[in-house]
Amino acid sequence: MSNQTKDEIRSVVREQYAKVANAVAPSCAPGCCGGFSPEMSLKLGYTPEDLSSVPEGANMGLGCGNPQAIAALAPGETVLDLGAGGGFDCFLAAKQVGPTGKVIGVDMTPDMVSKARANAQKLGTTNVDFRLGEIEHLPVADQSVDVILSNCVINLSPDKAAVFRDAFRLLKPGGRLAISDVVQLQPLPDALAKDVMALTGCVAGAATIDSIRELLRAAGFEQIEVKERPGSRALIAEWMPGSGAEDYVTSATIEATRPGGAAVEKGASTKTAARACCGPSCCEEEKSA
């Protein structure tokens, strides 16, 4: 796909996910690229309670993990979901942040936004807002978000540096990323790298772990952690059977923090609060307080 322009890549992805939104079966296997099954969601780390708490059609099986598991969401927080799809992760987040919190879901596919809004009406939720937009140019105000979630979407972007720069822009000081995505373990063979279905199937566009770390640092993030998700390569083999993609990519969790702020004051987890510490001196002050 390297010979395509960024807009051409976005068009290919948008077309494919419009088919998923409209229940036109895509020519790919279950998993990140579409084809929901409850068993796949359970393998990705969701619970039966998660699956039963959202409207039918909200969970479209488009993830490669569960960003909720690392997000440590707290009541009152403002959460942004990049590539919200049918709204599955947004609705789960809305329950955690409660009526005093807010969840914003952004997707570049009009059919997905329409589907997510319809699902919100079915659920009767009032603290979720779905917006049409590209994740490189988010329709969200500066420093207005506490937590950014994303589930197997950033790999689809042809400009990941822009994604992380814009994420940094809209996070409050001390705000954090909690992302599940596919990462590249070794260079892809041409057959996969140039395959349209491998691109929309969350394989061909994956960046290396080192590249992701460098892009996050360049955007200004600190406390960066990128960890392979155990057992995920077997799931990738189910997405694209016979392709050998599992030898080249894997699912990972990606965490990072915008410097500054006081996450502990927002009710964040102990892990997140520790990350908000500005250095040895402030940690000593906390101990003596």
Side-chain angles (χ1 to χ4, degrees), residues 10 135-137 157 159-167:
R10 290 189 186 99
I135 61 173
E136 300 90 347
H137 311 284
S157 170
D159 192 350
K160 296 172 182 58
V163 175
F164 292 133
R165 286 196 302 268
D166 216 36

Side-chain angles (χ1 to χ4, degrees), residues 144-219:
S144 61
V145 173
D146 296 295
V147 188
I148 294 177
L149 306 177
S150 186
N151 197 347
C152 215
V153 171
I154 296 175
N155 73 85
L156 296 169
S157 170
D159 192 350
K160 296 172 182 58
V163 175
F164 292 133
R165 286 196 302 268
D166 216 36
F168 188 89
R169 171 187 66 81
L170 57 85
L171 276 174
K172 299 175 184 178
R176 59 201 188 273
L177 300 179
I179 295 169
S180 293
D181 217 318
V182 172
V183 298
Q184 187 182 128
L185 299 172
Q186 57 179 319
L188 298 175
D190 284 348
L192 276 177
K194 298 178 180 179
D195 186 344
V196 171
M197 295 314 302
L199 173 67
T200 60
C202 307
V203 171
T208 65
I209 291 175
D210 287 343
S211 175
I212 290 170
R213 287 177 177 144
E214 182 54 38
L215 291 173
L216 287 167
R217 279 193 292 267

Side-chain angles (χ1 to χ4, degrees), residues 122-142:
K122 293 177 188 176
L123 192 61
T125 184
T126 58
N127 62 341
V128 180
D129 176 22
F130 292 103
R131 304 177 185 178
L132 180 66
E134 296 175 351
I135 61 173
E136 300 90 347
H137 311 284
L138 290 157
V140 182
D142 293 358

